[in-house]
């Protein structure tokens, strides 16, 4: 989330290409490095798993099409802006500098979504509306962005704040415009579900076995609820 100078990512397709390139470099390093002990072995396996999955997600265009209310650039930007030490001039200056970069970051995110839609990867309408609602909150008069540089913000904060709020308002309107080109259905299909479940679970899951287990546990819970209800009433 940002380079060494503290800049926000631009979230363009080129940014995602660069992330994939770095993942490929790390994956190659994991394949060629010498394994000296168990720690090295586990580390190399973790890199192969995570970086390999990063490349799979990139090749499938998942990084371009992110629209939800938890893990998109909108939430990443919001999180980064709250991570500064506001007790120091440096922290307040850095927060203000990053706030001024929000319009560029959201423009890059928009470029990636444009590319995703051009490839036929449209987001569900409900997810667009949820994300647009979060952008509305960030553009509002009581936005949490008001406080990202603390009680004594540096010079330039007001201009950066106004630009960031306007960018979120414009992005929310643009997301809503996308709804006319988007489906209502939210189901992602088995192939995407398998790939994304690996991202969040951290392992390959036998989906049929997992669902069968879940359904069996649900039946057991319902049976236990009924038994307790009969005992009580």
């Amino acid at each position: 989330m940002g380079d060494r100078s503290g800049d926000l990512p631009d979230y363009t397709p080129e940014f995602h290409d660069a992330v994939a390139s770095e993942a490929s470099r790390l994956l190659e390093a994991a394949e060629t490095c010498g394994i000296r002990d168990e720690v090295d072995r586990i580390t190399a396996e973790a890199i192969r798993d995570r970086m390999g999955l990063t490349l799979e997600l990139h090749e499938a265009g998942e990084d371009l099409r992110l629209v939800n209310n938890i893990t998109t650039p909108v939430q990443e930007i919001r999180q980064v802006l709250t991570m500064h030490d506001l007790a120091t001039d440096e922290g307040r200056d850095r927060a203000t500098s990053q706030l001024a970069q929000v319009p560029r970051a959201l423009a890059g995110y928009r470029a990636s979504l444009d590319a995703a839609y051009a490839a036929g990867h449209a987001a569900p309408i409900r997810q667009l509306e949820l994300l647009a609602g979060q952008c509305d909150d960030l553009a509002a008069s009581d936005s949490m962005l008001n406080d990202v540089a603390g009680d004594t913000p540096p010079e330039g904060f007001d201009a950066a704040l106004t630009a960031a709020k306007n960018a979120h308002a414009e992005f929310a309107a643009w997301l809503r415009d996308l709804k006319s080109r988007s489906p209502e259905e939210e189901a992602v299909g088995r192939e995407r579900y398998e790939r994304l479940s690996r991202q969040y679970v951290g392992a390959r899951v036998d989906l049929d076995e997992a669902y069968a287990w879940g359904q069996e546990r649900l039946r057991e819970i319902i049976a236990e609820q009924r038994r307790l209800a009969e005992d009580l009433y």
Side-chain angles (χ1 to χ4, degrees), residues 109-139:
Y109 180 24
R110 175 172 172 169
S112 288
L113 288 178
D114 274 333
Y117 269 70
H121 298 158
I125 289 174
R126 190 170 75 98
Q127 298 301 321
L128 289 167
E129 188 56 47
L130 286 169
L131 186 58
Q134 291 187 348
C135 291
D136 289 339
D137 292 341
L138 291 167

Side-chain angles (χ1 to χ4, degrees), residues 16-32 47-48 50-56 58-59:
H16 294 295
D17 287 342
V19 171
S21 178
E22 183 66 9
S24 181
R25 185 190 67 80
L26 288 171
L27 188 59
E28 182 178 354
E31 297 291 354
T32 58
I47 291 173
R48 282 194 289 269
R50 293 294 91 185
M51 295 304 100
L53 180 57
T54 295
L55 290 175
E56 284 185 44
H58 178 67
E59 290 167 4

Side-chain angles (χ1 to χ4, degrees), residues 52 95 155 229:
E155 183 178 353

Side-chain angles (χ1 to χ4, degrees), residues 145-187:
L145 299 178
N146 296 344
D147 303 317
V148 298
D151 296 330
T152 55
E155 183 178 353
F157 174 79
D158 288 344
L161 177 63
T162 298
K165 285 186 174 183
N166 288 342
H168 279 99
E170 292 168 6
F171 192 65
W174 181 77
L175 287 172
R176 292 187 171 104
D177 286 343
L178 285 180
K179 289 161 63 174
S180 64
R181 301 162 51 196
S182 304
E184 290 190 5
E185 184 178 63
E186 293 190 84

Side-chain angles (χ1 to χ4, degrees), residues 56-77:
E56 284 185 44
L57 293 170
H58 178 67
E59 290 167 4
E62 294 290 351
D63 45 7
L64 299 177
R65 68 189 296 184
L66 281 174
V67 175
N68 57 67
N69 64 334
I70 301 175
T71 58
T72 76
V74 170
Q75 294 89 20
E76 287 188 5
I77 292 167

